[in-house]
Amino acid sequence: MASDCEPALNQAEGRNPTLERYLGALREAKNDSEQFAALLLVTKAVKAGDIDAKTRRRIFDAVGFTFPNRLLTTKEAPDGCPDHVLRALGVALLACFCSDPELAAHPQVLNKIPILSTFLTARGDPDDAARRSMIDDTYQCLTAVAGTPRGPRHLIAGGTVSALCQAYLGHGYGFDQALALLVGLLAAAETQCWKEGEPDLLAVLRGLSEDFQKAEDASKFELCQLLPLFLPPTTVPSECLRDLQAGLARILGSKLSSWQRNPALKLAARLAHACGSDWIPAGSSGSKFLALLVNLACVEVRLALEETGTEVKEDVVTACYALMELGIQECTRCEQSLLKEPQKVQLVSVMKEAIGAVIHYLQQVGPEKQKEPFVFASVRILGAWLAEEASSLRKEVCQLLPFLVRYAKTLYEEAEEASDLSQQVATLAISPTTPGATWPGDALRLLLPGWCHLTVEDGPREILIKEGAPSLLCKYFLQQWELTSPGHDTSVLPDSVEISLQTCCHIFLNLVVTAPGLIKRDACFTSLMNTLMASLPALVQQQGRLLLAANVATLGLLMARLLSTSPALQGTPASRGFFAAAILFLSQSHVARATPGSEQAVLALSPDYEGIWADLQELWFLGMQAFTGCVPLLPWLAPAALRSRWPQELLQLLGSVSPNSVKPEMVAAYQGVLVELARANRLCREAMRLQAGEETASHYHMAALEQCLAEP
């Protein structure tokens, strides 16, 4: 009776009667031979048609992991049965199980990853149908595991990356599946993939690059989409760069549709991100190629942003931004530039038009879009342009400044989201996975160089002040300064932090000179002055941070002149520590250096200052001038300088070197400080006389100092 009802029941439940019969035989098997035969029948039935999740689970319940495990690891096959047939059966069962995501993440599947990986590179008859089926099933298992949340990590740890690379390079059966799975793993866990399989991945990159360079059919466009994923986080091999550049030159030099051109532009942008211009050969061919890249990028940006109502392909346009940034760098490079002067002029012209389109786009951005990655990318390229070319498009830039200040303030106040935006921009544009060091996490840092130029000009400066930029910059400076405080490890800080601090100082210096009233009335500058005074004493003692110390010292001295009535500057410990540190910076710049064949030494730069004097000298002279101006405003300063022995040591230095070795501007700077100190304090005058001050003043034609020291 039961047997009569069973077919009807199976039909009602949608079961496969044949499969049910085989499963029954499997459950009733009394030994390995019977179980093996039943498994063959089950596997055959499974492959003959699709099965649903319930049936798959019933197969697993009937089979379990024990017997497949034995099939995968057995070394003794029955007589007349090739050993790979047993493994193929085991893999087929695992492939069936892995169709269930829960089973694909099962430890009994995950611990088979090393075994499965070896099957991809095992030697055998390439025409053997059973072997091919086993390879297909292996890829099905590994792909299913890769689709689980922690699957990529398990695959990488199990040696799958190297196995996939070798399978692809061997170009055996299933090599295209190996490449597809590699692409998925790189997209999911790029850093871990390169850490575990760098030599093999580089070998794949070499193969893909060579194929790309030789391709004459549509495969070259497919390779354009694949290759960015295979560029390493470290150095790209030079032979790959040659092949990639040659392939891109051939593609972009042809008449193309957008679907063909866009992947090539994105690959070029990824190379620019990874290598700058190092991947482009020197000479005429390289300069023409770079000019072509930038021109194409500018055209694409204008087409996308000038036409209202059209959908912007943000990933393509952002890649074009990266190529424009490369163009900006090369156009402003004075030495070893790839471009000739006429090419630079032409590219500046087309980039100006493209930047105009970017400004037009940003003018349309409402508050609801300010947190979108593409807006961030657009602000970035505008910031790169303004850093080098702030004078052009002045009217349009001034109109956009209120938006830029509000935008920078919004992202500054939501720093975590700004960092996330940076990562999204990198994903959108250049790198398919990781952001890279050249994408800073805040909009303000992108705009600082341009604002430094704009604060020199009356119109833009007034707009920035009106929109509250100085207060925002002070807060930003104090935040960035916190990162350099003793509680933080400054050795791991990115260079961008120190560069941002220096650029902020330059902006503040511009405001001190051009808007002194702002410094006196805005409370944020009092807070800034307090930070400068507290920070300089430790900063001047730190190796390798002399340029930042110069910025802080000079800015503080200039601000002290304007804030001289502040209680904080009336001989407080902080103010005394600051001026002592400023004297240290100013006094240690030059030393007496003996010269062969000469009885007298010459005035020379001290070793720490010598290598960076080109960047330092303007700040040093400005600092000397500012210190001179502070002396009559702060009565306690001259006695403090005397206690530091700076005036005595300065006269001693001048007396020990040949006057001919001291440039006139140095004489003027030294005389300015000595005269003000002598005028401000009788003890200073007496100390200078004891140091042969009058004689030294005569030798250097310092008439003002001579006259001052001649007075009682």
Side-chain angles (χ1 to χ4, degrees):
M1 184 74 178
S3 60
D4 293 334
C5 294
E6 193 172 277
L9 181 63
N10 288 339
Q11 187 174 8
E13 293 183 2
R15 296 181 180 179
N16 183 329
T18 303
L19 178 60
E20 294 302 318
R21 188 164 61 252
Y22 295 161
L23 286 174
L26 179 62
R27 283 191 292 268
E28 296 172 4
K30 297 182 178 61
N31 53 49
D32 283 355
S33 296
E34 291 181 8
Q35 193 171 24
F36 177 63
L39 278 173
L40 284 175
L41 294 173
V42 169
T43 306
K44 181 179 179 181
V46 168
K47 290 193 173 183
D50 294 333
I51 59 172
D52 57 25
K54 287 184 178 179
T55 305
R56 188 183 307 116
R57 177 60 72 163
R58 292 180 65 245
I59 295 172
F60 172 72
D61 291 340
V63 176
F65 281 115
T66 303
F67 200 66
N69 290 349
R70 290 172 59 192
L71 292 172
L72 290 172
T73 57
T74 185
K75 296 182 180 179
E76 295 183 3
D79 292 340
C81 178
D83 59 353
H84 70 268
V85 171
L86 297 181
R87 291 195 294 271
L89 177 58
V91 176
L93 288 168
L94 280 184
C96 174
F97 299 160
C98 285
S99 300
D100 183 333
E102 185 178 340
L103 291 178
H106 195 285
Q108 287 284 356
V109 172
L110 299 178
N111 66 21
K112 303 299 181 301
I113 290 173
I115 298 174
L116 293 171
S117 297
T118 63
F119 296 163
L120 301 179
T121 55
R123 295 182 179 181
D125 182 1
D127 297 322
D128 187 317
R131 187 176 295 280
R132 288 191 171 205
S133 178
M134 183 178 74
I135 291 174
D136 286 334
D137 289 336
T138 300
Y139 281 119
Q140 185 177 337
C141 291
L142 297 176
T143 302
V145 172
T148 63
R150 297 179 63 85
R153 189 172 302 178
H154 288 294
L155 290 174
I156 294 167
T160 305
V161 172
S162 293
L164 290 170
C165 291
Q166 292 165 26
Y168 173 76
L169 292 169
H171 274 66
Y173 179 76
F175 78 96
D176 52 338
Q177 297 181 71
L179 185 62
L181 188 49
L182 264 179
V183 167
L185 289 177
L186 283 166
E190 180 188 37
T191 302
Q192 293 90 334
C193 284
W194 281 101
K195 184 178 179 181
E196 294 295 329
E198 181 171 350
D200 295 300
L201 285 169
L202 286 176
V204 172
L205 174 62
R206 290 187 182 94
L208 291 173
S209 302
E210 188 175 348
D211 292 345
F212 180 61
Q213 193 272 333
K214 294 177 179 178
E216 298 290 346
D217 55 11
S219 66
K220 60 188 175 184
F221 303 115
E222 297 172 4
L223 286 168
C224 274
Q225 296 176 326
L226 285 178
L227 279 162
L229 285 159
F230 287 90
L231 294 177
T234 53
T235 305
V236 182
S238 57
E239 64 271 24
C240 296
L241 293 178
R242 285 194 299 269
D243 287 340
L244 294 173
Q245 189 276 328
L248 282 171
R250 194 162 58 249
I251 290 176
L252 294 173
S254 306
K255 190 174 182 180
L256 301 171
S257 61
S258 60
W259 73 266
Q260 295 169 322
R261 180 178 59 252
N262 291 346
L265 290 173
K266 291 165 72 173
L267 173 58
R270 181 69 176 86
L271 287 167
H273 174 68
C275 311
S277 61
D278 293 344
W279 61 288
I280 301 175
S284 176
S285 64
S287 64
K288 289 179 181 178
F289 174 70
L290 176 57
L292 174 65
L293 271 182
V294 179
N295 273 288
L296 288 173
C298 290
V299 169
E300 193 70 34
V301 168
R302 291 188 64 190
L303 287 174
L305 302 184
E306 287 181 348
E307 296 180 12
T308 55
T310 59
E311 184 180 354
V312 177
K313 294 179 180 177
E314 296 179 352
D315 57 340
V316 177
V317 176
T318 313
C320 291
Y321 287 166
L323 297 175
M324 287 175 59
E325 196 164 339
L326 179 63
I328 292 170
Q329 292 169 1
E330 285 300 314
C331 284
T332 54
R333 182 180 293 182
C334 297
E335 297 179 1
Q336 296 182 330
S337 174
L338 291 171
L339 299 169
K340 297 176 182 177
E341 199 58 36
Q343 290 173 314
K344 291 183 178 181
V345 172
Q346 188 270 331
L347 288 183
V348 168
S349 176
V350 297
M351 286 192 290
K352 178 180 175 181
E353 294 173 347
I355 292 297
V358 174
I359 294 174
H360 171 74
Y361 165 76
L362 290 174
Q363 287 170 337
Q364 320 303 315
V365 172
E368 73 282 357
K369 286 190 173 184
Q370 286 193 11
K371 295 178 184 178
E372 293 185 2
F374 184 65
V375 176
F376 188 91
S378 300
V379 170
R380 174 187 168 85
I381 187 60
L382 177 60
W385 172 264
L386 292 176
E388 304 295 344
E389 186 56 59
S391 58
S392 62
L393 298 170
R394 183 182 286 115
K395 179 182 176 182
E396 292 84 352
V397 170
C398 286
Q399 290 173 345
L400 191 65
L401 277 179
F403 164 80
L404 293 177
V405 175
R406 290 194 300 272
Y407 180 76
K409 184 178 181 181
T410 298
L411 294 197
Y412 168 76
E413 291 174 347
E414 301 174 17
E416 274 192 20
E417 291 190 36
S419 179
D420 182 56
L421 267 180
S422 171
Q423 191 162 3
Q424 292 180 56
V425 169
T427 304
L428 181 72
I430 293 177
S431 171
T433 48
T434 54
T438 59
W439 296 92
D442 62 81
L444 193 50
R445 189 178 303 166
L446 309 175
L447 296 167
L448 288 177
W451 287 7
C452 187
H453 297 311
L454 292 172
T455 48
V456 176
E457 303 178 25
D458 294 340
R461 182 176 63 252
E462 289 174 5
I463 296 172
L464 288 169
I465 292 173
K466 180 181 177 182
E467 296 296 329
S471 176
L472 174 62
L473 288 169
C474 283
K475 292 177 184 177
Y476 179 75
F477 181 90
L478 297 177
Q479 179 213 53
Q480 294 291 295
W481 192 265
E482 278 297 311
L483 299 176
T484 71
S485 62
H488 294 78
D489 183 2
T490 57
S491 64
V492 299
L493 281 179
D495 292 340
S496 56
V497 172
E498 190 147 324
I499 292 172
S500 293
L501 289 170
Q502 292 178 24
T503 310
C504 282
C505 286
H506 295 166
I507 295 174
F508 295 142
L509 286 170
N510 290 341
L511 294 176
V512 166
V513 174
T514 60
L518 174 70
I519 309 300
K520 294 178 180 179
R521 69 174 180 267
D522 198 320
C524 70
F525 287 101
T526 301
S527 299
L528 176 62
M529 185 71 214
N530 291 336
T531 297
L532 299 179
M533 289 195 298
S535 305
L536 186 62
L539 184 60
V540 294
Q541 304 290 344
Q542 295 176 17
Q543 282 290 112
R545 309 192 72 193
L546 181 56
L547 192 55
L548 180 58
N551 278 278
V552 170
T554 304
L555 175 61
L557 290 169
L558 284 167
M559 289 179 63
R561 289 197 309 182
L562 299 176
L563 303 174
S564 60
T565 59
S566 167
L569 285 164
Q570 307 310 311
T572 60
S575 61
R576 289 179 181 275
F578 169 78
F579 276 93
I583 288 173
L584 195 64
F585 158 66
L586 296 171
S587 65
Q588 292 187 340
S589 61
H590 291 78
V591 294
R593 183 174 297 166
T595 55
S598 175
E599 294 182 1
Q600 268 192 308
V602 297
L603 188 70
L605 287 166
S606 59
D608 289 342
Y609 289 66
E610 193 168 16
I612 58 172
W613 186 245
D615 299 317
L616 201 64
Q617 61 176 335
E618 187 176 352
L619 290 168
W620 186 86
F621 280 108
L622 196 56
M624 291 287 285
Q625 182 183 348
F627 185 92
T628 300
C630 287
V631 173
L633 299 174
L634 302 171
W636 61 268
L637 184 53
L642 183 62
R643 285 193 295 273
S644 75
R645 294 193 54 79
W646 184 27
Q648 301 97 309
E649 290 173 358
L650 180 51
L651 287 169
Q652 183 181 3
L653 175 64
L654 291 173
S656 65
V657 300
S658 167
N660 292 331
S661 69
V662 186
K663 296 179 179 179
E665 60 267 26
M666 294 293 299
V667 173
Y670 285 147
Q671 178 176 224
V673 168
L674 291 170
V675 166
E676 286 302 330
L677 289 173
R679 286 174 178 169
N681 186 271
R682 177 180 58 81
L683 294 177
C684 280
R685 290 195 295 276
E686 292 177 359
M688 290 182 196
R689 292 190 192 107
L690 291 173
Q691 197 61 52
E694 291 173 288
E695 182 180 350
T696 301
S698 175
H699 286 160
Y700 284 89
H701 306 292
M702 296 179 176
L705 181 59
E706 268 193 282
Q707 182 179 351
C708 187
L709 293 180
E711 296 173 0

